[in-house]
Amino acid sequence: MTDAPFFQSAATWDQRYSEPDFVFGTEPNAYLADQAGLLQRGGKALAVADGEGRNSVWLARQGLTVDAFDISPVGVDKARRLASEAGVDVAYHVASCDDWAWREQAYDCVVAIFVQFADPAMRDRLFANMVKALKPGGLLVLQGYTPRQLEYKTGGPGVLSHLYTEDMLKTAFAGLRIVDMRSYDAQLSEGSRHSGMSALVGMVARK
């Protein structure tokens, strides 16, 4: 299997998001929602590669001021509609992870949920930029699939080099203090593309 389908291609994601339904549903990622008690109401959050908006809308509902970006104009349009229907304000932008204007120490919280389109080189850049964007004391919330997901085949890239392990995350975020790190299996029901028993890793870390 090659990485080609998972390169950060606007056309690829536009096609996926063009169906009427929300590909990953409209409810927030369960691991992210579990961290509600750690979020700073009134703080500023960034939702990375936010797709159709389910996580950014949830963050706004928690009382945060939210920026969100995605490479897909189709996905961002759906996210704007979702936010409007929810009655919340989110500043949405169309940008790739490399093109986003990463500002140093700009956010109290950075959220990256299943950003596993990134190959190892892009992932290194992305992770470094996420750390840079956090204010001192800021919180990073991340979820991804582990290599065991290749057995379940219920979502994710299906490419080993794009998957996460605890050791890889600990190395990548060595400058942060780990608040929570867990690898676990759980039944996902996040739209049509994240559905079924899944091999997951979640991490919360503080700068």
Side-chain angles (χ1 to χ4, degrees):
M1 187 174 292
T2 69
D3 289 1
F6 301 99
F7 284 164
Q8 199 178 19
S9 161
T12 296
W13 290 101
D14 278 348
Q15 182 177 17
R16 290 182 182 181
Y17 292 142
S18 64
E19 58 187 69
D21 291 338
F22 282 74
V23 175
F24 299 107
T26 58
E27 295 301 312
N29 170 257
Y31 184 77
L32 172 60
D34 284 347
Q35 315 311 321
L38 296 176
L39 300 178
Q40 178 184 331
R41 191 172 184 85
K44 192 167 179 63
L46 174 66
V48 174
D50 186 56
E52 299 161 304
R54 64 191 180 110
N55 294 314
S56 57
V57 166
W58 181 83
L59 288 165
R61 282 175 163 163
Q62 309 314 301
L64 288 94
T65 299
V66 184
D67 287 338
F69 71 87
D70 195 89
I71 196 172
S72 166
V74 173
V76 171
D77 282 346
K78 290 173 82 172
R80 288 182 175 129
R81 292 200 302 271
L82 186 65
S84 177
E85 291 167 4
V88 296
D89 292 322
V90 177
Y92 287 109
H93 307 268
V94 176
S96 72
C97 289
D98 282 331
D99 292 335
W100 174 250
W102 295 94
R103 291 183 292 123
E104 193 165 354
Q105 298 185 13
Y107 296 100
D108 300 288
C109 181
V110 173
V111 171
I113 304 298
F114 295 120
V115 293
Q116 291 179 290
F117 52 79
D119 62 23
M122 177 185 285
R123 184 174 65 221
D124 287 348
R125 297 191 300 272
L126 174 59
F127 284 1
N129 279 325
M130 292 193 303
V131 172
K132 180 178 79 171
L134 280 172
K135 297 177 182 179
L139 207 64
L140 173 65
V141 181
L142 178 146
Q143 171 135 88
Y145 289 112
T146 71
R148 290 191 56 248
Q149 181 64 10
L150 297 177
E151 301 171 23
Y152 286 126
K153 300 178 182 177
T154 53
V159 180
L160 181 61
S161 63
H162 290 230
L163 302 176
Y164 299 166
T165 67
E166 289 192 22
D167 286 344
M168 182 265 281
L169 294 176
K170 287 175 182 175
T171 298
F173 297 107
L176 304 183
R177 177 174 64 85
I178 303 296
V179 176
D180 181 63
M181 176 82 78
R182 65 181 94 157
S183 297
Y184 59 100
D185 288 4
Q187 191 82 21
L188 286 189
S189 182
E190 299 184 356
S192 60
R193 287 187 174 268
H194 288 173
S195 181
M197 188 59 69
S198 304
L200 306 167
V201 60
M203 187 193 77
V204 179
R206 194 174 295 279
K207 190 171 183 178

